[in-house]
């Protein structure tokens, strides 16, 4: 039906064989999960069907880069043994409710090292709903080019901060631009001698989204993970080295 690389989720439609009745796993919620909470994983590690492993939640809100260099955000980290063959299987709470979809492991050997990751079920439900309805996931974002600040950019631009997102460019149809966000106008070459790009200085610097500090592009996308086009966010910005706030409407990413 559709795939979403940003969450590593696909929706597949199939017809069960005649006479087979399927029962779906009940959904829980990933909103109130706690580090230390006991969880269970079901999968087919190394081809061993219907294998059950247990563990705890080791961390929440982890941004993880997959093999295609796509950052998957807000992942659940667990020490439950997850191996090749577990991907796509459910992560369950102790009541048997699905709270995540097992996705990947972090390992130097290719086998479980006690660091596995699952997509939160609240993310999965939203992604699946969009894939079924639209064939893709509709996410909100600022329609423009944002550049993660570095010390060298901050020093060159004489900024009073060294962390945040520089608003380099905004499209003419950007709602955020209409709401008052200002892009840069002074072009400079940034990068190495053999791999440089043009960025535009002099615009706003985004310091926080909805009162959460933004020090990287990964954090920015993580904060907008559940936002849809048309949603509004409160931006804390630096303009002419003075801090101020504005409310911006998001476009479709």
């Amino acid at each position: 039906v559709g795939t979403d690389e940003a969450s590593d989720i696909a929706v597949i439609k199939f017809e069960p064989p005649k006479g087979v009745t399927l029962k779906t796993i009940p959904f829980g919620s990933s909103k109130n999960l706690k580090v230390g909470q006991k969880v269970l994983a079901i999968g087919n590690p190394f081809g061993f069907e219907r294998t059950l492993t247990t563990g705890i939640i080791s961390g929440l809100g982890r941004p993880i880069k997959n093999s295609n260099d796509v950052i998957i955000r807000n992942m659940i980290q667990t020490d439950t043994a997850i191996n090749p063959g577990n991907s796509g299987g459910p992560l369950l709470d102790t009541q048997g409710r699905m709270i995540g979809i097992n996705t990947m492991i972090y390992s130097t050997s290719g086998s479980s090292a006690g660091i596995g990751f699952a997509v939160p079920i609240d993310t999965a439900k939203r992604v699946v709903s969009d894939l079924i309805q639209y064939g893709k996931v509709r996410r909100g974002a600022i329609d423009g080019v944002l550049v993660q600040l570095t010390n060298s950019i901050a020093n060159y631009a004489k900024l009073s901060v060294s962390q945040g997102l520089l608003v380099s460019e905004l499209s003419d149809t950007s709602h955020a631009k209409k709401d008052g966000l200002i892009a840069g106008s002074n072009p400079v070459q940034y990068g190495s001698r053999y791999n440089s790009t043009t960025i535009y200085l002099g615009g706003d610097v985004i310091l926080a989204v909805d009162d959460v500090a933004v020090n990287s592009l990964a954090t920015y996308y993580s904060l907008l993970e559940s936002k849809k086009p048309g949603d509004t966010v409160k931006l804390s910005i630096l303009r002419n080295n003075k801090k101020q706030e504005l409310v911006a409407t998001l476009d479709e990413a």
Side-chain angles (χ1 to χ4, degrees):
V1 173
T3 63
D4 179 51
E5 192 174 21
S7 62
D8 199 26
I9 289 176
V11 173
I12 299 173
K13 183 178 180 179
F14 71 99
E15 295 291 337
K18 287 185 178 180
V20 174
T21 301
L22 301 179
K23 183 176 180 180
T24 57
I25 294 176
F27 285 154
S29 174
S30 49
K31 185 180 298 182
N32 299 315
L33 298 178
K34 303 292 184 184
V35 173
Q37 178 178 337
K38 184 177 180 180
V39 289
L40 306 90
I42 296 176
N44 302 324
F46 303 109
F48 292 99
E49 296 184 355
R50 297 180 296 281
T51 294
L52 174 70
T53 54
T54 65
I56 63 169
I57 293 175
S58 306
L60 296 166
R62 304 291 200 202
I64 302 298
K65 184 182 292 187
N66 68 13
S67 58
N68 294 323
D69 288 336
V70 174
I71 295 176
I72 305 176
R73 297 162 185 92
N74 289 326
M75 299 280 275
I76 301 169
Q77 180 184 335
T78 175
D79 71 349
T80 304
I82 295 175
N83 287 288
N86 277 104
S87 298
L91 187 69
L92 309 171
D93 64 14
T94 52
Q95 275 70 52
R97 298 171 299 199
M98 186 172 174
I99 57 171
I101 300 176
N102 301 320
T103 301
M104 66 180 70
I105 60 173
Y106 181 86
S107 172
T108 56
S109 65
S111 299
S112 177
I115 304 178
F117 297 95
V119 178
I121 195 61
D122 291 352
T123 298
K125 285 190 288 188
R126 181 176 57 80
V127 166
V128 166
S129 176
D130 271 12
L131 288 176
I132 292 173
Q133 187 170 357
Y134 306 110
K136 64 178 182 178
V137 179
R138 301 176 70 241
R139 289 187 174 90
I142 295 171
D143 189 4
V145 178
L146 306 180
V147 177
Q148 186 172 313
L149 274 187
T150 62
N151 288 330
S152 59
I153 295 176
N155 291 335
Y156 184 86
K158 295 181 172 58
L159 297 173
S160 59
V161 297
S162 59
Q163 291 189 327
L165 301 182
L166 175 71
V167 183
S168 177
E169 301 174 65
L170 290 172
S171 73
D172 292 335
T173 58
S174 168
H175 283 90
K177 183 177 181 178
K178 296 174 183 177
D179 292 333
L181 194 65
I182 297 176
S185 57
N186 177 27
V188 298
Q189 290 299 117
Y190 177 70
S192 67
R193 178 181 176 184
Y194 302 103
N195 186 24
S196 65
T197 186
T198 301
I199 64 174
Y200 295 85
L201 304 180
D204 294 334
V205 176
I206 299 174
L207 304 175
V209 175
D210 289 338
D211 296 321
V212 179
V214 176
N215 52 21
S216 68
L217 283 168
T219 303
Y220 162 76
Y221 286 117
S222 178
L223 293 172
L224 297 186
E225 169 61 34
S226 62
K227 301 292 185 181
K228 291 184 174 293
D231 287 351
T232 59
V233 292
K234 182 173 74 172
L235 301 179
S236 301
I237 63 172
L238 186 76
R239 178 178 295 170
N240 298 323
N241 275 331
K242 293 182 180 179
K243 294 180 180 180
Q244 61 185 77
E245 294 181 345
L246 63 85
V247 176
T249 304
L250 299 175
D251 299 288
E252 183 164 352

